[in-house]
Amino acid sequence: PMNFRKYPYDTQICKVKYESYGYTTQKMLLKWKKGFDQSKVTANNSISLAQFDYAVKFEEEYREAIASGEYPGVIMTIVLRRKINYHLLQTYLPSGLFVIVAWLSLFLPPESIPGRVAMAMTTLLTL
């Protein structure tokens, strides 16, 4: 399960299991390709995530034993670390600017009701 208690400073660990459900270990074995490690995946410049830094780890194979037999599988772990700069620019900065604009309407003279209402409504509608 994902844990958001430290949001936006959180790190999420996602385990992806690839497992055979039709063939037992007597008929099939799953292994990661030799020389295929996380540097091949994380060095790919065409993959980018705006909100996260990521790392991929390929773990060893495992075997799942159930009543019908033993089934092979491999695990890939994706570690997602949230970028704080993204949230500062996309969430906190605009929200702070909306609050400042809303406060500015308090400095308008009380007689200029249309101006104050226009500023307040503009702030609310842009949210």
Side-chain angles (χ1 to χ4, degrees):
M2 298 183 91
N3 184 356
F4 294 105
R5 275 187 251 157
K6 294 182 182 179
Y7 177 86
Y9 303 102
D10 60 336
T11 299
Q12 303 296 331
I13 298 172
C14 307
K15 290 192 179 271
V16 181
K17 288 184 174 183
Y18 296 99
E19 186 173 322
S20 171
Y21 290 102
Y23 296 105
T24 62
T25 53
Q26 295 171 351
K27 293 184 179 181
M28 181 171 87
L29 288 174
L30 291 176
K31 289 186 178 185
W32 293 113
K33 185 178 175 182
K34 294 270 187 207
F36 189 69
D37 60 357
Q38 58 265 26
S39 63
K40 302 266 192 223
V41 175
T42 56
N44 189 345
N45 293 330
S46 65
I47 298 174
S48 66
L49 299 171
Q51 295 186 34
F52 297 99
D53 287 325
Y54 68 94
V56 179
K57 298 175 187 170
F58 298 101
E59 298 180 13
E60 292 297 316
E61 62 270 0
Y62 69 95
R63 294 175 184 195
E64 186 76 29
I66 58 175
S68 61
E70 192 175 69
Y71 294 88
V74 290
I75 299 174
M76 175 178 66
T77 303
I78 303 171
V79 180
L80 298 169
R81 185 170 293 113
R82 201 175 300 271
K83 293 180 184 177
I84 188 62
N85 290 341
Y86 177 85
H87 287 283
L88 286 174
L89 294 175
Q90 298 292 324
T91 306
Y92 297 119
L93 183 66
S95 297
L97 290 174
F98 292 146
V99 169
I100 290 170
V101 169
W103 283 347
L104 289 177
S105 69
L106 297 175
F107 294 109
L108 292 177
E111 298 83 33
S112 62
I113 294 173
R116 294 179 98 176
V117 170
M119 284 184 84
M121 291 307 293
T122 302
T123 304
L124 289 175
L125 290 174
T126 54
L127 289 175

